[in-house]
Amino acid sequence: MAEPGADGGGGGFLSSGSERRCRARLAAAGGARGAAAAAVLVPLCSVRGRPALLFTLRSRRLGGPHSGDVSFPGGRRDPADGDAVATALRETREELGLALGAPRVWGQLRLLPDRQGQMVAPIVANLGPLEDLTLTPNPDEVEEVFTLPLAHLLREENQGYTHFRTAGRYGYTLPVFLNGPHRVWGLTAIITELTLELLAPDRYRRKTHVLGRGPSARPPEGSSA
Amino acid sequence: RHEAKYLSGISHFLEKLAFSSTAQFGSKDEILLTLEKHGGICDCQASRDTIMYAVSADAKGLDTVVNLLADVVLQPRLSDEEIEMTRTAIRFELEDLNMRPDPEPLLTEMIHAAAYRDNTVGLNRFCPVENTDKIDREVLHSYLRNYYTPDRMVLAGVGIDHEQLVECAKKHLLGAEPVWGSRQTKDVDRSVAQYTGGIVKVEKDMSDVSLGPTPIPELTHIMIGLESCSFLEEDFIPFAVLNMMMGGGGSFSAGGPGKGMFTRLYLNVLNRHHWMYNATSYHHSYEDTGLLCIHASADPKQVREMVEIITREFILMAGAVGEVELERAKTQLKSMLMMNLESRPVIFEDVGRQVLATNTRKLPHELCALIGQVKSTDIKRVVTKMLHKKPAVAALGDLTDLPTYEHIQAALSSK
C-alpha cells in the first residue's frame, strides 16, 4: 500500500516495501514462541493517509487490574483458538466488531509477560485505511477507540520513561507515550515501542530496561507492566 | 521523586542538614549569628518534587544572604558529626510520625505510594528507618552532583529590587564551583510520574494514641484518591475549585466565615453522619500528574459504611453542581489564594515553583480570572475523566471491616 510521505521523510511505514521488510524481520526473529496465555492485536492503520496505531480504552465495567487502561484489542486464549493469531483476531472481532482476515497479519513480536506474569503474544497487523472500516466497539469491553500517528509517537517530546523500584531498589524502566488523548503506558507502551523499533529501527531509542539484564531484555515476570 | 536509582531518604537528609557548616561558615551557629545581625531566619523544606532553601532578612543584608544561600547550597561540608546528628534527628522524626494521633503525614505517604506504585512521587518522602545508617556524604554527593545543577535551580526573591538580586546572584553564584565537583551530570532521572492506583494498608493499634491524659477515641483512617491532573494543565483550576467545593475538615471544628462549613463534605457527610470524625478533601498536584483524595475517619466498626459514603461522594461529584455552591467554592478559592499570597514566604515559594516548572509566573489576578471562568460543565468534565482511573486507597488502623480494593473499585465505577 503506497503511502504519501506522512511527516516529511517518515512516511512509507505501511508501504509494500516496508511491509515486506517487517514481515521478514518478524519471521526471522523466531525466539520466544510457544504457548502464550493471551494475545493482543497491534493494529497498524492509516488515518487520512498517515500511518498510525490504533488503541482502545478498556471499559471500567470489566473491573480488574486493567480496568480503564489504554490497551490493544486482545485477551485470553480460548481453547478453540488455533494459535495466538487466532486469539488476536477473535478478540478484535468481539471487541471492535472488526473481522480481520489472516492475510492482514504481518507476524508476531516477541512474547511479553503481563502484570500477572502471563505471557502475551503481540500480533502485528495492518488494518488499512481507517476510513474504509466500520468499527462497532463493544461497550462492555471498550470505552473508546483512538489512534496515534506514528509521526507523533516518533517525536521525542511525546516520549517519556518511568523508572520503577522493585523491592526497595531500582528495578526497571518502562516507556510512556504522552500528549495524545490518553497516556500510553505499561505493557501497551512496551509493545508500542517494539512496533516502532520494527518499523523505524533507526529512528527510535528504546526506553525499556531491566536492571541486571541488557537493554534488550524485557521486564521481569510479575512486574507492574 | 528522583530517588528511584538512589537510596530513599536523601532529600530528607538534605533537608535536615541544610544551613549546617559550609566552606565559609564553620557551624550552624555561625550562620544563625550572621543572620541575626540582619534580623533574619532561615529554613529548608523538602517536598515530593522540590526542595526549598529559604532566608528572610532585612533588605540591607541582601548581599550577605545571597552569599549565604550560595554557600549553603553549593558548599556544604556535610561533616561526619553533622550527618550523625541528622541520623538521630530523622530517627526521632520517624518515631514521632508513628506516635502522633494525627495520621495526616503517614496517610499522605501511603496514598502516594498506593497511587504511584514504586515510582517518582510514590517513593518515600521520609527516609525509611533502615536507610538512616546507609546514607553518608558519598551517597549525598552522588545525588547532589546530578540534581543540584543550575538548570534545576531557581533563585527567587520578594521585597527586593530585581536588578539588585541579579547583581548578587552574579557575584555569588555565577561560576561558583560546588563542593562535589562539576563533572558532567549523567543519568538524570526525568521519569514521568506513572499513576497506577492500588491499595496500601497499615494495620495499627490505634486504641491508645493519645499522648496526654485525655483519651482519644479509636479511629480507623482511610484515604481514597483518584488521579486528577498536573498544575500545568488547564484542568488544574477546575480541580482546585472542585477540591474547595468538597472541602470538609474535622467534625469537632469551630466554624466561621469562609471556614467552609457549607462545603459538601460538611453538609452531606459530617452533618448527616455524626459518627464520622473527619472528612477532608485534598488535592496534590505536580508537573506531570495530580491526586485528588478524601480522608475520612471513624470508629473501626463503621469502616464499611464510611467507605460507602466516601465513594458515593466521589460519584456525586460527577452529578449536578449547584450554582450557589460553585460560586461559593470559586470565591473561597480566590480568597484563599489572595490571603495566602499576603505572606512573603508563600510568595517566593510560589514564584520559585512556577518558574521551575514553567519558566514564567502567573500572577494572582490572572489566576483569579481563570478561577472565575470555571463552569459546572468543566467540573463535570474533569470528574468524569477522573472517575475512569483506578482508585488509590490508603487505610490505617483496625482494618477488619475494610472492604476489598475490588469492592471499592466497583463502587466507584457504578453509575
Side-chain angles (χ1 to χ4, degrees):
Chain A
M1 199 179 82
E3 280 298 310
D7 68 328
F13 291 125
L14 301 181
S15 70
S16 48
S18 171
E19 179 174 342
R20 233 179 305 121
R21 271 194 305 278
C22 293
R23 281 179 182 267
R25 223 175 275 144
L26 288 172
R33 289 282 183 264
V40 295
L41 191 79
V42 185
L44 294 167
C45 60
S46 77
V47 179
R48 285 187 289 276
R50 291 161 192 277
L53 269 175
L54 183 126
F55 297 90
T56 62
L57 189 69
R58 296 171 74 101
S59 164
R60 279 186 306 146
R61 290 184 224 174
L62 289 173
H66 300 290
S67 160
D69 282 348
V70 168
S71 186
F72 288 121
R76 279 234 154 65
R77 184 178 177 148
D78 207 57
D81 293 332
D83 57 7
V85 174
T87 308
L89 294 179
R90 176 183 53 76
E91 287 286 342
T92 306
R93 205 172 46 242
E94 288 174 10
E95 289 182 17
L96 297 179
L98 186 64
L100 203 62
R104 290 284 189 173
V105 172
W106 287 14
Q108 181 193 306
L109 293 165
R110 70 151 85 102
L111 293 181
L112 294 167
D114 73 1
R115 227 175 305 187
Q116 282 76 36
Q118 305 269 7
M119 298 311 269
V120 178
I123 307 291
V124 182
N126 183 3
L127 304 184
L130 201 62
E131 297 83 12
D132 292 348
L133 302 171
T134 353
L135 296 173
T136 40
N138 177 355
D140 285 331
E141 295 194 66
V142 172
E143 180 103 24
E144 194 186 314
V145 174
F146 66 98
T147 58
L148 283 174
L150 294 183
H152 171 101
L153 293 166
L154 284 169
R155 228 170 267 137
E156 291 247 343
E157 72 237 26
N158 299 323
Q159 298 165 9
Y161 61 86
T162 307
H163 292 317
F164 286 86
R165 286 238 186 106
T166 322
R169 325 171 35 224
Y170 167 63
Y172 55 93
T173 306
L174 295 186
V176 57
F177 295 93
L178 309 161
N179 304 322
H182 301 281
R183 210 187 256 185
V184 179
W185 64 289
L187 186 61
T188 309
I190 301 179
I191 296 176
T192 306
E193 187 169 72
L194 289 173
T195 311
L196 291 175
E197 282 181 340
L198 176 73
L199 291 166
D202 310 317
R203 290 188 46 188
Y204 181 77
R205 199 169 35 95
R206 179 186 290 216
K207 314 283 185 301
T208 306
H209 176 70
V210 179
L211 181 68
R213 307 190 195 182
S216 57
R218 43 187 153 88
E221 333 264 282
S223 67
S224 53
Chain B
R1 63 176 287 169
H2 303 115
E3 291 177 2
K5 290 189 170 182
Y6 294 85
L7 284 170
S8 267
I10 291 182
S11 8
H12 197 182
F13 264 77
L14 289 172
E15 182 191 47
K16 294 274 172 291
L17 280 165
F19 297 103
S20 301
S21 67
T22 68
Q24 288 179 46
F25 297 89
S27 68
K28 192 172 230 160
D29 288 331
E30 253 188 71
I31 295 183
L32 294 173
L33 278 170
T34 313
L35 279 178
E36 233 185 61
K37 293 200 195 88
H38 300 280
I41 50 169
C42 63
D43 186 29
C44 177
Q45 265 188 29
S47 62
R48 309 197 93 85
D49 57 354
T50 42
I51 184 166
M52 201 173 64
Y53 295 81
V55 176
S56 291
D58 187 290
K60 291 198 254 334
L62 179 62
D63 193 71
T64 316
V65 166
V66 178
N67 177 35
L68 172 68
L69 271 176
D71 218 41
V72 158
V73 172
L74 297 176
Q75 299 272 335
R77 271 191 223 165
L78 305 175
S79 74
D80 295 327
E81 206 193 315
E82 285 167 342
I83 294 188
E84 195 50 50
M85 283 205 304
T86 304
R87 287 200 186 109
T88 318
I90 288 185
R91 282 193 209 111
F92 177 73
E93 189 174 352
L94 293 174
E95 256 190 74
D96 177 64
L97 275 175
N98 275 312
M99 265 180 32
R100 60 162 91 164
D102 168 32
E104 203 44 63
L106 268 181
L107 278 171
T108 307
E109 280 281 272
M110 286 165 66
I111 195 77
H112 278 88
Y116 301 95
R117 191 170 341 122
D118 290 327
N119 76 88
T120 58
V121 294
L123 301 175
N124 304 68
R125 180 254 175 270
F126 296 107
C127 185
V129 77
E130 61 270 12
N131 284 358
T132 49
D133 283 322
K134 297 188 198 155
I135 295 181
D136 57 17
R137 194 184 317 120
E138 287 281 320
V139 173
L140 292 173
H141 277 189
S142 70
Y143 178 86
L144 292 167
R145 197 167 295 128
N146 277 330
Y147 292 97
Y148 275 35
T149 55
D151 56 319
R152 303 176 73 89
M153 290 191 208
V154 167
L155 176 68
V158 180
I160 315 168
D161 176 60
H162 178 82
E163 288 308 321
Q164 267 193 301
L165 184 63
V166 173
E167 276 307 306
C168 291
K170 280 197 191 135
K171 188 167 150 202
H172 299 289
L173 285 167
L174 201 57
E177 275 282 316
V179 73
W180 48 82
S182 39
R183 261 178 279 153
Q184 195 65 315
T185 61
K186 53 177 183 127
D187 212 17
V188 172
D189 184 353
R190 293 189 210 286
S191 287
V192 175
Q194 187 52 61
Y195 182 83
T196 58
I199 181 166
V200 171
K201 295 190 275 201
V202 173
E203 301 253 10
K204 191 174 170 187
D205 180 10
M206 309 278 278
S207 53
D208 189 20
V209 293
S210 172
L211 299 170
T214 323
I216 295 180
E218 179 178 2
L219 295 175
T220 291
H221 301 269
I222 57 148
M223 212 183 237
I224 299 183
L226 290 166
E227 190 180 20
S228 58
C229 75
S230 83
F231 55 66
L232 295 177
E233 297 175 55
E234 282 182 3
D235 282 348
F236 173 67
I237 307 273
F239 270 116
V241 173
L242 174 66
N243 184 42
M244 210 74 216
M245 199 173 81
M246 297 308 292
S251 60
F252 297 107
S253 212
K259 165 86 190 201
M261 300 299 273
F262 288 94
T263 56
R264 281 200 184 177
L265 288 178
Y266 269 112
L267 290 181
N268 298 351
V269 177
L270 292 171
N271 288 2
R272 288 197 198 156
H273 308 279
H274 301 153
W275 45 268
M276 288 269 267
Y277 276 76
N278 199 310
T280 319
S281 166
Y282 295 94
H283 187 215
H284 304 279
S285 197
Y286 306 94
E287 67 189 13
D288 50 8
T289 186
L291 187 64
L292 184 81
C293 42
I294 297 184
H295 167 212
S297 55
D299 184 274
K301 294 193 246 341
Q302 311 201 260
V303 172
R304 268 195 182 274
E305 264 191 272
M306 170 168 65
V307 170
E308 253 184 67
I309 292 171
I310 300 299
T311 49
R312 197 181 56 220
E313 281 305 313
F314 266 108
I315 298 179
L316 288 173
M317 285 186 211
V321 172
E323 257 219 57
V324 172
E325 72 172 334
L326 181 63
E327 286 310 306
R328 185 187 298 124
K330 283 156 67 173
T331 310
Q332 257 185 297
L333 186 60
K334 286 189 220 171
S335 347
M336 198 185 77
L337 182 78
M338 301 305 282
M339 278 192 282
N340 282 341
L341 287 175
E342 302 233 326
S343 149
R344 287 180 177 201
V346 176
I347 300 181
F348 73 51
E349 179 176 348
D350 182 47
V351 171
R353 276 177 175 276
Q354 285 206 46
V355 172
L356 260 180
T358 66
N359 270 327
T360 98
R361 180 182 181 229
K362 281 209 183 82
L363 294 169
H365 67 259
E366 289 177 59
L367 291 169
C368 284
L370 289 171
I371 294 171
Q373 288 162 15
V374 171
K375 297 187 284 297
S376 60
T377 44
D378 294 316
I379 305 279
K380 198 165 203 167
R381 179 174 48 85
V382 301
V383 172
T384 314
K385 209 170 49 164
M386 180 178 74
L387 286 173
H388 266 115
K389 310 286 170 72
K390 287 193 279 289
V393 181
L396 176 69
D398 178 346
L399 305 179
T400 17
D401 286 339
L402 182 73
T404 63
Y405 177 77
E406 288 69 29
H407 180 106
I408 299 177
Q409 188 181 4
L412 283 167
S413 36
S414 60
K415 288 281 175 313

